[in-house]
Amino acid sequence: FGVAHNFADAARYLRLAADQGDADAQYLLGFLCEHGKGTKRDLGEAVRLYRAAAAQRNVWALARLGVCLEKGRGVAQSEAEAAASYAAASELGGAEDLLACGVHHLDVVGKESAPESFILQLAVSDLALAARLGHAGAVEKLASISSRREVVSACCLGCGATRELRLCSRCRVAAFCDGDCVRRMWPAHKPCCKQWQADAAATEE
């Protein structure tokens, strides 16, 4: 965000830009509100900001709004509205943009002033959204990082959520927000899940 890793300052400056109608600022502030970074966690405000940015054809906001509508986060659940939001993002080339951004975040881990955990969270969120829009490359990229315990234990690979997560009942390492994300990400998670189960069994012997 251009403000080192002070999320409170970032949220304040983003608020100024968002109030002026800047779509990127609205999306980024919405992301901070959704995840409680630098500001109080407020899912309703996150959805309001995503809607404002989505109205300006911001693909990140359209895709993130789709997740909120699909999961019922900060807004009444609506699969129809979620599908429409995903479709609008796809029509704007959102899958490619999200994939590129996710890959970029992975490339700069350890090179930016922001905490690595947050950069990885952004990467997973963008890649998960690209996968939701049907990009096979995003699914492959998520699979390539699914063995990183520090990532999968703190961020749902299916949607990028970081709150109200539940550990996989099999490996007890990876965390997901709900059964839908578990099912969709099982092909990517399965190899690591089996390995972690084997590692745990060997430790108990």
Side-chain angles (χ1 to χ4, degrees), residues 101-109 119-120 123 127 141 145 148:
C101 201
V103 169
H104 169 72
H105 287 315
L106 289 177
D107 289 342
V108 300
V109 168
I119 298 297
L120 286 168
L127 292 172
K141 185 59 82 170
I145 62 174
R148 300 181 63 166

Side-chain angles (χ1 to χ4, degrees), residues 1-17:
F1 299 111
V3 192
H5 60 268
N6 189 321
F7 292 116
D9 280 348
R12 185 168 66 254
Y13 291 127
L14 286 170
R15 174 69 67 183
L16 293 173

Side-chain angles (χ1 to χ4, degrees), residues 59-121:
V59 295
W60 282 263
L62 282 164
R64 199 77 213 156
L65 177 60
V67 171
C68 290
L69 288 163
E70 181 182 353
K71 304 286 187 181
R73 293 178 186 157
V75 66
Q77 186 174 21
S78 174
E79 293 185 3
E81 287 187 74
S85 197
Y86 288 142
S90 292
E91 290 172 4
L92 293 171
E96 288 291 345
D97 289 342
L98 287 160
L99 174 62
C101 201
V103 169
H104 169 72
H105 287 315
L106 289 177
D107 289 342
V108 300
V109 168
K111 303 174 186 177
E112 295 285 342
S113 58
E116 287 188 15
S117 60
F118 184 66
I119 298 297
L120 286 168
Q121 179 187 344

Side-chain angles (χ1 to χ4, degrees), residues 158-183:
C159 67
T162 57
R163 300 292 190 94
E164 299 164 0
L165 303 179
R166 295 174 292 179
L167 292 178
C168 169
S169 61
R170 296 179 177 87
C171 67
R172 307 298 295 175
V173 174
F176 296 90
C177 69
D178 60 21
D180 174 61
C181 280
V182 173
R183 287 187 292 274

